[in-house]
Amino acid sequence: MDDDGTRGVRGSSADRVPGPALPPPPTAPPRVPAPAAGPDPAATPVEQRPTRPGPASPAEQPVPGAPVDAWLRTPRPPQEPGVWRYGYTPPPPEEPEGVSNRSLLVGALISLLSALLLWSLWRNGYLPYRLVPLKLFTPGEWWNPGTSGGPRTIEGSDALTVYEAILFGLLAYGCGRIGNFSELFRRHVADRGQPFLALAAAAAAGLTQLLVWKEALPVVRPVLVLVASVAGGEIYQSQTVVNVIYAVIAAAVLHPFARLGRWRELIAARRGTAAPAPDGTAVAPAAATSADQWPELRTAGWTDAADTLTAEVRTGRMNDVDVARLRHAWALATRRPDRFAPLAEAVLRTGGAAALHPSGHRDLPRRGARHDVLTGQVRIGRCADDPHNPYVRRGTGLALEPALLGTSLLAVGPPGAGKTARLIRPVVEALALRALAGQAAVLAVGGAGAPLGPDDAFDVVVRLGHPGSAHDIDLYGGTTDPDEAAAVLAEGLVGDVGSLDSRRAATVLAQLLGPYRAAHGHFPSVPELRELLDGTPAALAGLRASLEAAGHHAMLRELDARSRQAGGPGDPAPALADRVALLDRPAFTGFFATGPDARPFSLRAVGQHPLRVRVDLPERGHAEASRLLTRLLLAQFTAITAARTDTTLFACLVLDDATHAVTAETVRGIRRLRSVNAGAVLALRTVDDVPETLHTPLLGAVGCTAAFSGITTWDGKRFAEAWGKEWVETREVAQHTVFADQPFTRALHALRKLVTGKAVTTDAVTVRQVERERWSASELAYAVPAGHAVLSLTTVQGEHAPPLLVHLDG
């Protein structure tokens, strides 16, 4: 195991990036070739490791098996927060609530029968004044006298033929609109798709042609009359002209059915050619500077480097992490022009292996979720088809990304609800991939055995209490300032004790840490700190003697002040000593070392380098110590990230179990994370694992919340209050019994009641706008199915997504 030359001492400082925790032997051929030997001038200026690409994974692309160039060209349109953008297609417009199929069929049948009846009455002359409109616009000598007189001349007969054709067309159009035949056709014919649509249209076309040529439908004679009136009757002396007219009529009758049946698209699909777009717009060919051809490099003039990467992508020698890493490296180089040339030379020399991660890895050993490394998204589920979800979000994928995690996320659910497997692990996996791309750093904290990922997926694995751990944790956060170290350590030790003031506890620790560091050059170890807090005379006397010998009079005054305050009312030293005693156990012997030879891992490295760190806590045998360390790591993370000056790297802390880890100071620290490009993911079994006074501040500090199935109504009430209310339209229907006054009407009502068994009523509908909770406490407790969660999302820019019911498949 490579421990960075520490010769068996656990840990790493903030200025030196640790290597992989447990490099396993290769079990499969690498998916991408290793780069040539030699340093990479475009890489991050930290310690490098030999290249060791990870094995192939079945879920390396958002679509399994898709080539990298196709993955790179897939559109990712900007969408609302949480929408899985890879290949997103918007849903069709929401259709209003339609009538039932039975009502639709009955209405169409009644409309058709009514039209046939009207046409029969017209043809048989039972409708009075039917020729009056025609006689108003034609000469009187064409007609017999009287309102019902028929045509007298051939011209009148021709006019009547055209007139009947026009009325038939209007009658057919009105029958189709009233009977809603278009909706009937869409539901029962068009929605079935091809080839049923084409066959149904062909059958309808054949029947219509038969009726047209049998003159059951007034089409042929009116057309012949119109042609004769325009071109003269002599035109029919030519049989060729007649045949042409007949062919035009047949084609005109056939054309609407061809469009309805989409015959052209079906023929094109059978031939294997692409059909034109429905709106008539041609599909534009791929541009010469598409995404897989690295247009940003070509624009900057580095055509050779762009050609090299294009060849690497198209030949499969690059994966999605390589693409994201090189794009990020190029974006950083644009801010510092002096790095353009080294990066381009590295690309020409090593191709897709340029600008490698310090570990030398180019991918994770395996993936369990769908990732889009280009946008940093990880798909954790699909929005359910539920009335609580907006129509445009139903059925769409839901994904998390740094823009959302930057506002921090709180997940609450009972054990077994799937918080770790379906939310925490996909998030850790996505952040680890982003770290390999040089864009993020992740610190995952969980109990020993928690499924946060394999050891070879992390650069540093800290197993506290395990003798085989290669790394250790710095209790003081890597700082040299006694006051800063005391403030963070006090928050971790007694931050959850409501009766103690953390500031007073920090003062007590500073009165001991400052003198000890001045005398020995480092902070005290756990046993030594416990003796100082207990006020052991030998420990205090030895420290005083060392200070007097070195002439640190200011520190002597600090030590004298601690001696005067010891044992007084409200002295926090005994409580601090009791908490430190939780770490002064045989299981932690050799851990938390602070001597000159000790180099424990410092969280400051997470804020400076794209590291993947996992901390395993001994929850089973040392539950209280694990909670103390979790609280300490959270306090250190919020303090360190808030103090860093370079915020280009996204840093994220993931706590698989944040029970008793949240304090008033860490809540304020979480609220500040979004402004320094950092975030925290906290998982709780119940909100009651946080002090009651912090329930509202914590829900207000995080921008993303997730309520898993199985939470209690008490937890549901807090989420319902945090998510607020919305205006909804309600319809109230009141039924009133109809009392008839006339004997005949009463008889009809009595007969209807006898037949249906119900009294005759009228409906009074009241529509109102009311304000209701988006999700009530009872719905969150009892209406969320197993494997689902309700998520509310907020981006660092302030965009919101309403609480969405999500089926988790991460």
Side-chain angles (χ1 to χ4, degrees):
M1 182 180 294
D2 186 2
D3 52 8
D4 292 329
T6 55
R7 288 189 262 243
V9 180
R10 303 184 184 95
S12 174
S13 64
D15 299 328
R16 193 170 186 181
V17 181
L22 292 174
T27 58
R31 187 169 50 84
V32 287
D40 185 0
T44 306
V46 292
E47 184 179 352
Q48 298 288 325
R49 292 283 177 258
T51 302
R52 185 175 61 83
S57 168
E60 284 171 347
Q61 304 295 340
V63 178
V68 178
D69 55 347
W71 167 82
L72 192 57
R73 291 195 304 268
T74 301
R76 297 164 175 84
Q79 292 298 323
E80 297 179 358
V83 175
W84 174 250
R85 295 167 50 193
Y86 178 81
Y88 173 80
T89 54
E94 184 178 8
E95 297 181 357
E97 184 177 356
V99 297
S100 63
N101 290 332
R102 180 179 178 181
S103 301
L104 192 64
L105 290 172
V106 171
L109 181 60
I110 293 176
S111 175
L112 179 61
L113 294 177
S114 301
L116 291 176
L117 177 62
L118 286 175
W119 182 246
S120 176
L121 294 176
W122 168 270
R123 293 297 301 269
N124 292 287
Y126 290 107
L127 294 180
Y129 309 107
R130 62 190 186 96
L131 299 180
V132 171
L134 179 60
K135 292 181 178 181
L136 292 176
F137 297 95
T138 54
E141 59 270 13
W142 289 4
W143 309 97
N144 292 319
T147 56
S148 60
R152 177 188 298 177
T153 62
I154 297 177
E155 290 82 359
S157 299
D158 293 342
L160 180 60
T161 301
V162 176
Y163 178 59
E164 288 183 346
I166 295 175
L167 290 180
F168 180 83
L170 295 176
L171 182 62
Y173 176 78
C175 174
R177 291 299 301 268
I178 296 175
N180 204 359
F181 278 86
S182 60
E183 178 66 16
L184 187 67
F185 175 80
R186 185 190 66 81
R187 287 191 188 182
H188 299 283
V189 180
D191 287 351
R192 295 191 179 186
Q194 299 288 10
F196 181 83
L197 175 61
L199 293 177
L207 178 61
T208 305
Q209 291 279 9
L210 179 63
L211 296 177
V212 167
W213 296 111
K214 290 293 184 179
E215 295 190 2
L217 299 179
V219 175
V220 177
R221 289 182 58 84
V223 171
L224 296 177
V225 168
L226 289 175
V227 172
S229 62
V230 173
E234 296 81 4
I235 193 174
Y236 295 121
Q237 296 179 359
S238 173
Q239 186 62 35
T240 303
V241 174
V242 174
N243 293 336
V244 170
I245 294 175
Y246 285 164
V248 171
I249 294 174
V253 173
L254 195 63
H255 178 70
F257 296 97
R259 288 180 59 88
L260 289 175
R262 301 175 186 173
W263 295 352
R264 185 178 180 183
E265 298 178 14
L266 180 62
I267 295 174
R270 295 295 183 182
R271 293 180 178 177
T273 59
D279 57 355
T281 58
V283 179
T289 56
S290 57
D292 63 323
Q293 297 191 4
W294 305 85
E296 61 272 16
L297 272 71
R298 299 182 188 275
T299 304
W302 298 98
T303 307
D304 294 340
D307 293 338
T308 300
L309 293 180
T310 301
E312 293 269 305
V313 168
R314 294 186 174 179
T315 56
R317 293 195 296 268
M318 286 180 64
N319 59 13
D320 53 350
V321 178
D322 295 330
V323 173
R325 186 185 68 252
L326 289 174
R327 282 197 166 196
H328 179 67
W330 191 262
L332 293 179
T334 55
R335 305 174 187 175
R336 297 177 57 184
D338 58 311
R339 299 184 64 180
F340 271 124
L343 178 59
E345 293 174 2
V347 168
L348 293 174
R349 185 177 64 256
T350 61
L356 274 180
H357 184 264
S359 66
H361 295 175
R362 296 170 66 176
D363 200 356
L364 296 179
R366 56 184 175 272
R367 304 185 189 181
R370 293 183 60 185
H371 300 272
D372 186 14
V373 187
L374 203 61
T375 58
Q377 287 191 317
V378 53
R379 190 181 186 277
I380 64 170
R382 174 180 52 82
C383 294
D385 188 5
D386 187 86
H388 286 92
N389 293 341
Y391 172 78
V392 295
R393 300 300 297 269
R394 297 175 189 172
T396 61
L398 189 130
L400 296 177
E401 56 184 312
L404 297 171
L405 299 178
T407 63
S408 298
L409 185 148
L410 176 66
V412 179
K419 299 188 301 298
T420 301
R422 301 184 181 185
L423 179 65
I424 299 299
R425 176 160 181 172
V427 168
V428 173
E429 200 173 82
L431 293 172
L433 288 172
R434 203 159 181 83
L436 291 178
Q439 304 175 41
V442 56
L443 173 62
V445 181
L452 299 180
D455 293 347
D456 48 357
F458 295 91
D459 303 311
V460 176
V461 177
V462 181
R463 296 183 177 88
L464 293 173
H466 193 284
S469 178
H471 300 282
D472 194 1
I473 286 292
D474 188 355
L475 291 179
Y476 303 100
T479 183
T480 58
D481 185 1
D483 293 329
E484 181 181 352
V488 176
L489 185 58
E491 196 66 31
L493 292 176
V494 295
D496 61 328
V497 181
S499 58
L500 286 180
D501 187 0
S502 298
R503 292 173 295 182
R504 189 171 181 183
T507 301
V508 171
L509 288 172
Q511 291 172 344
L512 297 174
L513 297 181
Y516 191 94
R517 179 172 179 81
H520 301 282
H522 58 83
F523 291 122
S525 62
V526 169
E528 293 168 336
L529 179 60
R530 180 182 180 183
E531 291 180 352
L532 293 174
L533 289 172
D534 283 334
T536 305
L540 294 175
L543 179 58
R544 183 181 297 277
S546 299
L547 292 173
E548 290 176 351
H552 294 291
H553 301 290
M555 293 301 171
L556 281 172
R557 289 195 298 270
E558 288 284 307
L559 194 60
D560 292 338
R562 171 85 288 267
S563 300
R564 290 192 303 269
Q565 297 171 5
D571 183 17
L576 291 170
D578 292 340
R579 290 300 179 90
V580 173
L582 296 174
L583 304 179
D584 189 17
R585 306 297 302 164
F588 300 113
T589 301
F591 286 85
F592 315 120
T594 58
D597 296 332
R599 297 181 59 213
F601 175 76
S602 172
L603 260 63
R604 292 188 180 274
V606 174
Q608 300 173 6
H609 306 293
L611 285 177
R612 302 166 294 166
V613 183
R614 195 188 77 203
V615 179
D616 295 342
L617 301 175
E619 289 184 344
R620 293 184 178 179
H622 303 274
E624 288 297 329
S626 297
R627 293 173 181 175
L628 186 152
L629 292 171
T630 303
R631 190 164 52 250
L632 178 62
L633 291 174
L634 178 58
Q636 288 185 359
F637 180 82
T638 55
I640 290 172
T641 53
R644 61 177 182 162
T645 56
D646 185 6
T647 60
T648 57
L649 191 71
F650 178 73
C652 188
L653 170 67
V654 181
L655 297 182
D656 185 47
D657 185 5
T659 303
H660 301 296
V662 179
T663 64
E665 184 60 33
T666 54
V667 167
R668 287 189 285 269
I670 291 173
R671 190 178 289 111
R672 295 191 296 265
L673 290 179
R674 69 174 66 187
S675 63
V676 292
N677 196 23
V681 179
L682 311 177
L684 294 171
R685 295 182 178 90
T686 174
V687 182
D688 290 331
D689 289 338
V690 177
E692 186 176 358
T693 56
L694 298 179
H695 290 173
T696 300
L698 177 61
L699 289 172
V702 298
C704 304
T705 50
F708 283 72
S709 61
I711 64 173
T712 63
T713 53
W714 291 273
D715 288 342
K717 179 181 178 181
R718 298 181 181 96
F719 280 107
E721 292 175 351
W723 292 337
K725 300 179 180 180
E726 63 178 347
W727 289 98
V728 296
E729 183 179 280
T730 61
R731 295 170 57 90
E732 296 180 358
V733 181
Q735 292 185 341
H736 303 284
T737 303
V738 178
F739 298 96
D741 296 331
Q742 301 298 326
F744 182 72
T745 308
R746 286 200 299 269
L748 290 178
H749 288 183
L751 179 61
R752 179 176 176 180
K753 183 176 181 180
L754 181 64
V755 173
T756 62
K758 298 180 180 179
V760 179
T761 59
T762 58
D763 294 340
V765 181
T766 303
V767 180
R768 295 187 302 173
Q769 292 283 339
V770 297
E771 194 176 21
R772 288 184 178 176
E773 294 176 331
R774 301 177 184 272
W775 280 84
S776 66
S778 299
E779 289 175 329
L780 289 173
Y782 302 110
V784 179
H788 290 66
V790 181
L791 276 77
S792 174
L793 305 175
T794 305
T795 66
V796 292
Q797 291 82 17
E799 298 181 49
H800 296 272
L804 302 170
L805 179 62
V806 181
H807 175 239
L808 301 172
D809 54 12

